[in-house]
Amino acid sequence: MTKTKIGIIGGSGIYQIDGLQNAAWHQVDSPWGSPSDAILTGVLAGVDMVFLPRHGRGHVHSPSTVPYRANIDALKRLGVTDVISISACGSFREEMAPGDFVIVDQFIDRTIAREKSFFGSGCVGHVSLAHPTCPRLGDACETAARDTGITVHRGGTYLAMEGPQFSTLAESRMYRESWGCDVIGMTNMPEAKLAREAELCYASLAMITDYDSWHPDHGEVDISDIIATLTGNADNARSLVRRLPALVGAERQPCPHGCDRALDHAILTAPDARDPALVARLDAVAGRVLNR
């Protein structure tokens, strides 16, 4: 048994957790650069909680400039065991309407301008992403959403685009009709990949704000409509988060899906061939396997 520490990565419109006891903001140093912002820690319903605003308070980071590696490394350094990612997205499905939530279970990564791994020359590692989210955490998010009264869809494929521009009509139609995607956003990749490399259980909670540009009755994405929907979604998301500690629990067994053991057989570089400088940067992310 280990002590649970839930990390919430808040997306657009989510800049805090309500009701935290002993709440305090902390600067966390990372060898991968500075995280998006200071990190809020506290206790909610007897469970340790950590909150990181993905875009920074005041929304200062674009999707492409979010320091994804520093964010995940910082959460790992703080002892986070379970990460719930909350983000805004567009929908490719009529039944997945603005205001609904989707518990994402698959991704297609179309980002091109981001560092996507902690590993590289001098310490090569390959983790499995066949199932990139943790079903156990997905269960908790689904129950919390339904208890909150949110319309939630379990399962969906998230198309991660680079942005910051929204899709062309041709792209929107391709992602929906040819690729079979369900939602589209700009921030869950490489976040999910890095969480797996850091052996963190990860769940993605996508808040639908619009129908992208494919829908004949809605036309192009309008940022004013997105902001209006975000306001309601953010209130629902904060209510959902308040229910998570009781569902996840203060103590946890090893992840039944192996998220917390993702590096068991992932590192291929022989110990005597590893770059000491890179190994030092990996102390939090991969120290469990590099130091044994």
Side-chain angles (χ1 to χ4, degrees), residues 49 110 171 229 237 261 282:
M49 301 285 287
R110 291 277 290 168
E171 290 170 333
T229 306
R261 302 179 298 282
L282 292 166

Side-chain angles (χ1 to χ4, degrees), residues 32 42 53 55 59-60 69 105 149 176 194 197 200 202 205 208 218 247 259 264 269 286-287:
W32 304 94
H55 296 280
H59 206 109
V60 297
R69 292 191 297 183
D105 61 359
R176 165 181 154 81
L194 295 167
E197 288 187 344
L200 295 171
Y202 180 89
L205 193 63
I208 297 174
H218 292 266
L247 294 166
C259 303
D264 274 355
T269 306

Side-chain angles (χ1 to χ4, degrees), residues 58-83:
H59 206 109
V60 297
H61 293 287
S62 77
S64 297
T65 64
V66 169
Y68 294 98
R69 292 191 297 183
N71 286 350
I72 294 298
D73 177 82
L75 295 181
K76 183 77 172 184
R77 287 180 188 279
L78 287 173
V80 166
T81 57
D82 302 271
V83 174

Side-chain angles (χ1 to χ4, degrees), residues 4-8 17 20 39-45 47-51 80 241-242 244-245:
T4 297
K5 183 173 283 191
I6 300 173
I8 306 294
I17 297 177
L20 277 183
I39 298 177
L40 180 66
T41 65
V43 178
L44 187 63
V47 176
D48 289 339
M49 301 285 287
V50 172
F51 175 77
V80 166
V241 166
R242 287 197 293 271
L244 286 173

Side-chain angles (χ1 to χ4, degrees), residues 32 69 115-126 197 267-269 273-275 278-279 281-282:
W32 304 94
R69 292 191 297 183
E115 295 289 348
K116 300 187 179 185
S117 179
F118 291 110
F119 299 99
S121 179
C123 191
V124 177
H126 301 279
E197 288 187 344
I267 298 176
L268 300 186
T269 306
R274 294 171 185 166
D275 176 5
L278 179 53
V279 169
R281 296 176 80 191
L282 292 166

Side-chain angles (χ1 to χ4, degrees), residues 206-263:
M207 309 183 300
I208 297 174
T209 59
D210 59 87
Y211 276 119
D212 205 51
S213 57
W214 65 271
H215 200 295
D217 298 330
H218 292 266
E220 63 193 50
V221 178
D222 187 315
I223 192 65
S224 61
D225 292 340
I226 289 176
I227 292 172
T229 306
L230 267 178
T231 302
N233 274 353
D235 290 341
N236 282 335
R238 286 191 288 269
S239 295
L240 184 157
V241 166
R242 287 197 293 271
R243 289 169 166 79
L244 286 173
L247 294 166
V248 176
E251 295 185 334
R252 64 194 291 274
Q253 300 281 355
C255 175
H257 309 285
C259 303
D260 53 3
R261 302 179 298 282
L263 296 179

